[in-house]
Amino acid sequence: MSQDNIQDQNADANIEITPEMQAFYQRADAIIGIANSQLGPEAHSGQVGASLLYAAARYSASVASIGFVKGDDFAKEKDDIVEFYVKQYRQMLSDNLTDYAQNFDKYVQLNQDDKPAE
């Protein structure tokens, strides 16, 4: 979901977009742009999506390790860390699926506009 779509969704809910939220969506859009740039004859959206999930998991593991001094202490927190990230991902995925369903015709049209003429 792009920043513009989030702004449209939040405008409907009368939610003010703070500078922090704006920066959050800009970072997400930049990462989505990198993922989209990987699409082509060598990689379809499912493959790129799998790589993106792996990258998110790898980066999240690194972020979660910050502040730990010993690997054993970090390992003891593994279940709580996994629970935290899964809960966050589930909510974000659910919100984006709802948004995509509500704006399906608009998003499908945008995706078709991006395809080269055959």
Side-chain angles (χ1 to χ4, degrees):
M1 174 185 318
S2 76
Q3 171 185 346
D4 293 334
N5 298 330
I6 293 289
Q7 288 175 339
D8 291 345
Q9 183 182 13
N10 288 337
D12 293 340
N14 293 324
I15 297 172
E16 178 185 352
I17 301 212
T18 66
E20 292 82 9
M21 291 170 68
Q22 185 80 14
F24 172 88
Y25 295 127
Q26 287 174 339
R27 286 189 303 271
D29 284 346
I31 293 166
I32 292 167
I34 291 169
N36 284 334
S37 75
Q38 300 296 308
L39 297 171
E42 300 297 319
H44 58 70
S45 60
Q47 292 167 316
V48 172
S51 296
L52 187 57
L53 278 174
Y54 177 80
R58 184 109 176 127
Y59 193 82
S60 295
S62 175
V63 169
S65 73
I66 295 170
F68 286 93
V69 176
K70 297 188 324 190
D72 288 346
D73 293 337
F74 181 55
K76 290 176 188 174
E77 300 297 323
K78 178 183 172 184
D79 290 342
D80 289 339
I81 293 167
V82 168
E83 184 177 333
F84 170 80
Y85 280 104
V86 167
K87 182 178 178 183
Q88 294 295 310
Y89 180 77
R90 179 182 301 278
Q91 184 62 55
M92 290 177 189
L93 179 60
S94 178
D95 291 348
N96 280 281
L97 289 170
T98 297
D99 176 64
Y100 203 94
Q102 290 172 347
N103 295 287
F104 190 81
D105 292 339
K106 180 172 120 179
Y107 291 167
V108 169
Q109 182 62 43
L110 286 174
N111 291 336
Q112 289 177 355
D113 290 345
D114 291 340
K115 293 182 182 175
E118 295 180 17

